[in-house]
Amino acid sequence: MPDAPTTLRSLPRLVREDPALFDVLGRSNVVLAVADAARSAVGAALAERRRHGPVLVVVARSAEAETLARDLGSYLGHDAVEHFGAWETLPFERVSPTPETMAARSKVLWRVRGGLEGDPDRVPKVIVAPVRALTQRLAPVSPYSEPRVVRAAERCDRDELVAWLAGAGYRRESQVEHPGEFAVRGSIVDVFCPTGGSPVRVDLWGDEVDRLSTFSVVDQRSDAKLESARFFACRELVATPAVRERAEALIATDPWGRDQWERLAQGSVFDGMESWLPWLVDRDD
């Protein structure tokens, strides 16, 4: 599939010229029957005509959502389409979603908030999600909801960056090999953000970024230079003061989960902690 966006004119003629199709925009309780083969073309046409906010496309299964997102990207440009994936885990499975899934979800939510924060160009045109992703509780906004941006030739405190990465769910390793890991060697900080195709090396000179580049996990050698890099959190539930206070209160009101509440109140990070989100937030922020 091509990476470059295709204009509305290149969509099938019946899709781009049928006035009945575009009458559904802005209306409620409208049923539009579309053949499976035409879903991406129709979805792209509707997204191009919509003026405010993204179009949310809900499908039954995760694999279906991934395929449709790729197809829509061939029309609109892949940066205009986001796949909001569901956790791969079952409730109370004592296993956390993968860093790739949580970072990707963090990126989508950050882009959606662009409209509320005065940056409408950040908002995607289409979000494709399986039903399960929309039924899962969202974590409240935290200091890690905004990505960490590092730019070449700008100031960056190494210890502050390391603390942010650790708090955002990145695992510290001696050498970066997998998404969601970071490593520190003197003035060099290697970070593998799951939403990026390659890991990033931040080479500091004092408190300034002397060189910013991608690097290979095979031989650990630096590759292409970068002007900037954006790191998204790898964990959705963060032990903010509000979350810890809520967990502390639950020890008395819901003693059946005392072991979990105590760990959360202490700011501990453990597998499966995301399953307890419904008790830790009163509403989606």
Side-chain angles (χ1 to χ4, degrees):
M1 293 184 183
D3 290 330
T6 306
T7 64
L8 185 61
R9 292 181 180 178
S10 66
L11 292 170
R13 180 178 177 181
L14 291 177
V15 172
R16 71 172 188 266
E17 295 181 357
D18 184 0
L21 170 64
F22 301 109
D23 282 345
V24 304
L25 291 175
R27 296 171 59 189
S28 60
N29 300 321
V30 177
V31 177
L32 180 66
V34 180
D36 288 348
R39 286 193 306 171
S40 58
V42 171
L46 291 172
E48 283 284 5
R49 292 294 184 94
R50 185 176 174 85
R51 296 181 179 180
H52 304 291
V55 172
L56 176 62
V57 181
V58 184
V59 297
R61 295 174 295 275
S62 294
E64 187 180 359
E66 293 176 7
T67 299
L68 184 57
R70 287 195 299 268
D71 291 347
L72 286 166
S74 68
Y75 285 114
L76 302 171
H78 293 289
D79 190 55
V81 181
E82 288 286 0
H83 169 226
F84 188 66
W87 294 345
E88 312 90 343
T89 57
L90 297 174
F92 310 109
E93 194 177 9
R94 296 178 183 252
V95 177
S96 291
T98 63
E100 291 88 341
T101 296
M102 290 192 282
R105 286 166 58 92
S106 296
K107 179 184 177 183
V108 175
L109 294 174
W110 171 75
R111 293 193 65 184
V112 170
R113 287 196 302 273
L116 302 175
E117 297 172 0
D119 188 7
D121 293 337
R122 195 170 85 197
V123 181
K125 291 183 178 180
V126 182
I127 299 173
V128 186
V131 172
R132 188 179 171 198
L134 302 182
T135 62
Q136 292 167 339
R137 181 63 67 103
L138 300 179
V141 175
S142 75
Y144 302 98
S145 299
E146 290 291 313
R148 180 62 185 255
V149 181
V150 177
R151 295 183 175 85
E154 290 192 3
R155 185 183 180 281
C156 178
D157 184 272
R158 191 202 69 168
D159 294 340
E160 183 183 352
L161 174 61
V162 168
W164 188 93
L165 292 169
Y170 287 80
R171 300 182 305 274
R172 184 166 182 169
E173 304 288 350
S174 58
Q175 180 174 290
V176 167
E177 296 179 342
H178 304 99
E181 296 179 348
F182 77 99
V184 182
R185 298 189 309 280
S187 61
I188 295 176
V189 181
D190 291 341
V191 186
F192 200 160
C193 179
T195 61
S198 302
V200 174
R201 176 161 291 157
V202 183
D203 195 344
L204 298 165
W205 179 261
D207 61 354
E208 183 177 293
V209 179
D210 184 55
R211 177 184 169 90
L212 192 64
S213 64
T214 59
F215 69 92
S216 169
V217 296
V218 177
D219 57 19
Q220 297 291 306
R221 292 185 177 180
S222 298
D223 296 323
K225 286 186 177 182
L226 300 173
E227 292 298 322
S228 64
R230 185 179 286 120
F231 306 135
F232 289 91
C234 292
R235 184 170 294 282
E236 292 188 47
L237 176 58
V238 179
T240 60
V243 168
R244 296 176 67 173
E245 182 179 347
R246 174 70 172 169
E248 182 72 32
L250 287 170
I251 295 174
T253 61
D254 295 81
W256 55 267
R258 185 182 185 90
D259 291 344
Q260 314 304 328
W261 311 145
E262 288 181 344
R263 296 167 75 183
L264 289 163
Q266 295 167 3
S268 300
V269 175
F270 55 93
D271 278 342
M273 60 189 293
E274 292 78 15
S275 295
W276 304 98
L277 259 173
W279 286 271
L280 297 170
V281 291
D282 292 326
R283 62 182 178 84
D284 293 335
D285 194 351

